[in-house]
Each structure stands twice: as structure tokens, then as C-alpha cells.
Amino acid sequence: MKILVTSHTGIGGIARTTKQMREQILSNHKNDELVVINENREDKSEFRRRYRNTSVYSVPTPKGLHNFTSFTKFKRHYKPVVDKMAEIIKAESPDIILIIGTFYFPWFLLSAARKAKAPFIIRYGGIIEMEETKKIWLRMGRDFVNPKYSYVFPSTHSKETVEGIHQVKLPHSWVIHNGLPDEFFIKKKKITKKGKFKIGYVGRHYGVKNPEFCLALADKLRLSNNSEIEMVSNYTGTCSKDGKKASRAVKRFLKAGIKLTPSMSTNKLAKFYQSKDLIISPSHFETYGYVPLEAIATGTPALINKTLGIREVFTKLGLDEYIVDFKDVDNIVEKIDYIRQKQVIINGDVSRKLKKNYSFSSTMLQFFDTFKQVLNKSN
């Protein structure tokens, strides 16, 4: 089987899904091939490279994306990008295309797949209507919704949200929870340490991720002075204590006594989780939410907002007590006090269940089974 996917240079969920698919093919599906159309956000170079049974087409991030207000003009302007992707599809002749995500770059591939009349599955990541407000992006979101299309959703929550927004049923859908890489299954046992209670937050500086909650929490915890908050994010500007080179957002967090740390590799992130006493995920909405699952895999408890798709996995793991309403800051403080006093650690049984059911290899097998079902349906 030859699979074509979208990806990008980065460490987000889209890039991670492509990476795990590559690893799965190399280890368990050596007769299969992978073609990656990669959005190059870094050096902006354009190239095609071959790595064993994987071909990578590097496509620079198109310029001026956010300058458009008319979707018609947007489509006309970026028709060459769609045509280029259609040419790649015709040249590679993939058996199936996995469109990961629902923003502009996946939309280019969706348009190209339709033009080339190639079978495809839409793998919902974020939901545009829950994360964006510009009319052009909301209009783009409608193109991803069609009862005739095939879908993979990371949670039932995300599937029902899309169906509710567009008042439609999507009968050709599968729910496959996101998997975790082995780096998060740390063999070294987690040990609680004395000193300040360490709270961690991991997420982009983006409204839907609700980083502002950390300010409200820091304010509540200031009087007791026995906790500290560290945020791993993509803040622009130098995260220096004097704040002279920092952006306005950075200055606000620094002033509140919150430590800011830039994004990091998977290995370092796993160590970050294990070094904390608690991870918080206050996002207003997530189709899934990798962060809390990664945290509990390392043994660190995580409080998640009830608006996250990952709550389905927490329920399956018997962790309902960690699903909370982040609108009530006082309630979160009470939860934190309980976890601190009891020195709560997620036991090894939970991590073992995660590794068995939600490791990359397990979830990727589900993807390959879904590909076969979609192809059998279309033949």
C-alpha cells in the first residue's frame, strides 16, 4: 500500500502523526510506502528526497496567507499550489491519501485529491470553527465536511462537535485516539520531592488553549507562596526577568512569577512532565489533547478541562476525578491542594494500560485497518 500524507516542520500533532506512521511502516509494514507533502515552515526550501521507502516533497509555506479576506481570491491565488500537489498525486499514484488537519495546507491537499480523483481520508486535528473567527477560514472549514467523505476523528467528542456545527451526520467515520511515543513511558519510577509544588502547562500562546488561566491561578496561589508555575510555549521575545526584550504577553506572565520555557524535543518534554507535581490543561476546546496523556504516562497527574476530547481516555482509565471545570478557579485550587497534600502519583498500572492501548504501534495498526476498509468501500 502506498499512503500519501500531509505534514509540516515542527513538533505538533500533525508532524507527530506523520512521524509515527513512518516508524510503523519501517518496523511493521516494510512492503508499504509513504509519500509526505511537507509544509516547510523553517528554511522555506523546496525539494524532493527519498528515504528508503519514504518520499518527501518539501513545499514552502505560501506567502501572504493571512492577507486575504475573500475565499474566492484565496483559491484563485493559490491554485498553483493545488495544481502542484495534484501533479505529485498523479506521479506517485498513492492507494490512499490521509489529509491530516483542517487548515490551509490540508485544504490544498483536499482540493488536489478531489482534482486528481484519488481516494482520501480526512484526519481531523483542530476544528477551524472552534479556533478561528475570520470568515475566510470559517468558509474553508465547510469544504472539509461532506457526508460522502471518510473521516478519522481523535475522539467521539470531536466527531459530534463537527456534526453539531454543520448540522450533518458523517456516517463514514472512525474514532482512533492519538498514540504516544515510547519516550513518555519512562521506566524510572517517579518520586515526589519536598519544596514548592511544581505545576506545568504546555501549549501554544493561542486563545483556545486558555494560557490566561495560568495568570488567574498564579494570582490565587500567590498568598500561600508554596507553588510555582512553568509554561512551555511559543512566546515571542526573550523570556528574561527584566522583560526588556519580551512581548507584552511575556511580560504579564513574568510579572505574575510564572517561568516561561520554549518548546522542546519529545525526550526533554517527557523529563519536563516527570519533574512536575501536576500538569494542567485548561483549553477551552481540544479535539483530543496530547499533553495530559503524555503527563500521566510519566506518572504525573493532570487536571483536564471537561471540554477536551481526551476526557474519553481518562474515563476509560478510571481517571474521572481529574476531569474538571476550569471556569471555577477556586475548585482547581482545591484540587491542587488535595494532590499536593496526598502527594498523588499516577500508578504504574495506568502507564502500562496506556502503553498497551495507546502506544504509537497500537494506534497505527488501527489506521492501517481503516485504510483497508475505506479502499474496500470505494472499490
Side-chain angles (χ1 to χ4, degrees), residues 7-157:
S7 189
H8 61 73
T9 48
I11 58 173
I14 292 176
R16 185 179 294 179
T17 301
T18 302
K19 181 177 180 289
Q20 71 185 68
M21 188 162 290
R22 160 80 171 149
E23 292 174 355
Q24 180 69 15
I25 286 175
L26 285 176
S27 59
N28 299 313
H29 293 262
K30 296 180 181 179
N31 294 325
D32 295 324
E33 292 185 61
L34 188 67
V35 179
V36 181
I37 299 182
N38 191 65
E39 181 190 359
N40 191 333
R41 299 175 176 179
E42 295 175 353
D43 62 21
K44 310 295 184 183
S45 60
E46 184 175 346
F47 58 80
R48 176 184 181 270
R49 291 176 183 163
R50 178 80 179 174
Y51 307 90
R52 293 169 67 180
N53 58 349
T54 301
S55 294
V56 177
Y57 291 84
S58 175
V59 179
T61 299
K63 296 180 180 179
L65 286 162
H66 300 281
N67 296 333
F68 287 86
T69 55
S70 166
F71 189 55
T72 300
K73 290 181 179 179
F74 177 91
K75 288 196 293 183
R76 188 184 307 126
H77 185 81
Y78 291 114
K79 183 177 180 297
V81 179
V82 173
D83 291 343
K84 182 181 292 185
M85 289 189 181
E87 290 173 7
I88 294 172
I89 293 171
K90 290 179 181 178
E92 292 288 349
S93 298
D95 294 295
I96 196 159
I97 297 171
L98 179 63
I99 301 169
I100 309 176
T102 52
F103 205 27
Y104 62 86
F105 202 76
W107 180 85
F108 293 146
L109 184 57
L110 171 64
S111 302
R114 291 191 299 196
K115 182 176 181 179
K117 297 181 179 179
F120 61 85
I121 300 178
I122 295 172
R123 197 317 189 171
Y124 254 86
I127 298 174
I128 290 177
E129 295 83 359
M130 299 298 293
E131 300 182 9
E132 301 289 341
T133 57
K134 288 179 66 173
K135 289 182 179 180
I136 183 174
W137 303 135
L138 299 178
R139 170 61 188 85
M140 179 181 288
R142 296 209 303 267
D143 279 1
F144 287 96
V145 182
N146 189 319
K148 295 181 181 179
Y149 294 169
S150 296
Y151 297 89
V152 169
F153 289 94
S155 63
T156 302
H157 175 54

Side-chain angles (χ1 to χ4, degrees), residues 230-267:
E230 182 174 358
M231 301 177 71
V232 175
S233 193
N234 61 328
Y235 296 100
T236 56
T238 304
C239 298
S240 56
K241 289 184 179 180
D242 58 22
K244 289 181 180 178
K245 297 181 180 179
S247 67
R248 185 179 299 176
V250 167
K251 288 179 180 178
R252 291 176 64 207
F253 289 113
L254 292 175
K255 187 177 180 181
I258 297 171
K259 181 180 179 181
L260 299 180
T261 301
S263 301
M264 58 187 72
S265 66
T266 302
N267 280 323

Side-chain angles (χ1 to χ4, degrees), residues 254-374:
L254 292 175
K255 187 177 180 181
I258 297 171
K259 181 180 179 181
L260 299 180
T261 301
S263 301
M264 58 187 72
S265 66
T266 302
N267 280 323
K268 289 182 178 179
L269 190 58
K271 293 176 182 177
F272 171 84
Y273 290 134
Q274 197 174 49
S275 72
K276 300 305 173 190
D277 298 297
L278 173 69
I279 298 296
I280 58 171
S281 292
S283 296
H284 295 301
F285 177 84
E286 297 260 7
T287 54
Y288 190 65
Y290 273 110
V291 170
L293 199 64
E294 294 167 348
I296 63 173
T298 70
T300 299
L303 291 177
I304 66 169
N305 206 344
K306 62 182 182 180
T307 53
L308 274 63
I310 195 67
R311 71 186 187 203
E312 296 166 23
V313 178
F314 268 50
T315 294
K316 292 175 183 178
L317 294 171
L319 301 175
D320 283 310
E321 62 186 303
Y322 299 102
I323 304 171
V324 294
D325 186 350
F326 271 81
K327 290 180 181 178
D328 189 343
V329 184
D330 290 328
N331 181 47
I332 301 302
V333 172
E334 288 180 12
K335 287 279 188 181
I336 290 172
D337 287 339
Y338 175 83
I339 292 169
R340 177 175 50 225
Q341 291 167 11
K342 298 293 184 181
Q343 295 187 323
V344 175
I345 293 176
I346 301 298
N347 67 53
D349 288 340
V350 171
S351 184
R352 282 186 284 273
K353 287 179 183 178
L354 277 176
K355 191 164 187 177
K356 179 181 178 182
N357 299 313
Y358 301 102
S359 63
F360 274 173
S361 56
S362 176
T363 56
M364 277 298 104
L365 287 174
Q366 296 177 56
F367 269 100
F368 279 85
D369 287 342
T370 302
F371 295 156
K372 292 175 183 177
Q373 293 181 57
V374 171

